[in-house]
């Protein structure tokens, strides 16, 4: 993470040196958002890796908050590369899906991030507010490994899960 941060800062410094006036409008955003500001399209922020569509099965994970607690159900699943995972908001929202970048291989991280639409931030889905709202993530091109995630609003309530890609 530290190395990645330094690389971002270095990139921002280079942009600042040669960019001239084109960055004025973006100066109000945080440093971490600098690479996104450099790209003309807001839709494709930090990654240069293209999204890979799912070609396999779609697995469903429910997002629940009730008197038994906040949870993903099932919390831990195993899928194949190329499958998709559909997260469905059931109760107790807003919920989201935020993958833990720590320990994730850089190429896997780049692909997973590219495969997520409408992100709040890197590896972080938008909030799902209403029952039956869903958010589907393609694991096309995401290499085998275990990907852990949590719900940002309910991290303290231990709303966590994992997806193991075979
Ligand atoms: Cu939640």
């Amino acid at each position: 993470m530290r190395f990645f941060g330094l690389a971002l800062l270095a990139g921002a410094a280079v942009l600042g040196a040669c960019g001239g006036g084109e960055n004025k409008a973006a100066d109000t955003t945080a440093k971490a958002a600098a690479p996104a500001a450099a790209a003309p399209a807001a839709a494709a922020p930090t990654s240069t890796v293209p999204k890979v569509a799912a070609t396999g099965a779609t697995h469903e994970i429910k997002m629940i908050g009730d008197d038994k607690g906040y949870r993903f159900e099932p919390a831990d699943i195993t899928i194949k590369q190329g499958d998709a995972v559909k997260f469905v908001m059931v109760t107790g929202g807003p919920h989201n899906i935020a993958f833990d970048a720590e320990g994730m291989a850089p190429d896997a991280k780049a692909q997973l991030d590219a495969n997520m639409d409408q992100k709040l931030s890197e590896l972080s889905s938008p909030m799902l507010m209403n029952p039956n709202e869903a958010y589907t993530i393609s694991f096309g091109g995401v290499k085998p490994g275990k990907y852990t995630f949590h719900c940002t609003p309910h991290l303290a309530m231990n709303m966590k899960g994992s997806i193991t890609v075979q």
Side-chain angles (χ1 to χ4, degrees):
M1 281 312 288
R2 182 165 298 148
F3 173 78
F4 188 62
L6 286 172
L8 284 181
L9 286 175
V14 170
L15 285 173
C18 63
E22 68 184 348
N23 247 347
K24 268 185 195 131
D27 285 349
T28 52
T29 55
K31 268 210 168 61
T46 54
S47 177
T48 54
V49 178
K51 178 178 177 175
V52 176
T55 52
T58 298
H59 307 263
E60 192 170 301
I61 295 179
K62 294 181 169 66
M63 307 168 85
I64 301 173
D66 58 19
D67 49 9
K68 290 181 200 149
Y70 290 90
R71 61 200 183 274
F72 292 99
E73 209 174 272
D76 303 289
I77 64 170
T78 299
I79 68 171
K80 293 190 169 68
Q81 188 182 54
D83 286 354
V85 179
K86 180 182 180 182
F87 291 85
V88 181
M89 151 70 199
V90 179
T91 50
H95 300 296
N96 81 336
I97 304 100
F99 286 93
D100 303 313
E102 186 128 352
M104 201 185 286
D107 53 345
K109 180 172 148 185
Q111 187 64 65
L112 185 56
D113 192 59
N115 287 2
M116 295 177 72
D117 298 322
Q118 300 171 302
K119 290 184 296 284
L120 287 182
S121 60
E122 186 180 68
L123 298 174
S124 188
S125 83
M127 294 292 164
L128 302 187
M129 316 287 289
N130 303 305
N132 297 320
E133 257 186 271
Y135 183 80
T136 301
I137 302 170
S138 164
F139 280 78
V142 178
K143 70 179 193 180
K146 185 174 183 179
Y147 300 91
T148 61
F149 58 87
H150 59 269
C151 167
T152 305
H154 302 125
L155 176 59
M157 280 82 116
N158 212 34
M159 186 167 173
K160 297 175 182 175
S162 73
I163 295 168
T164 299
V165 178
Q166 286 182 326

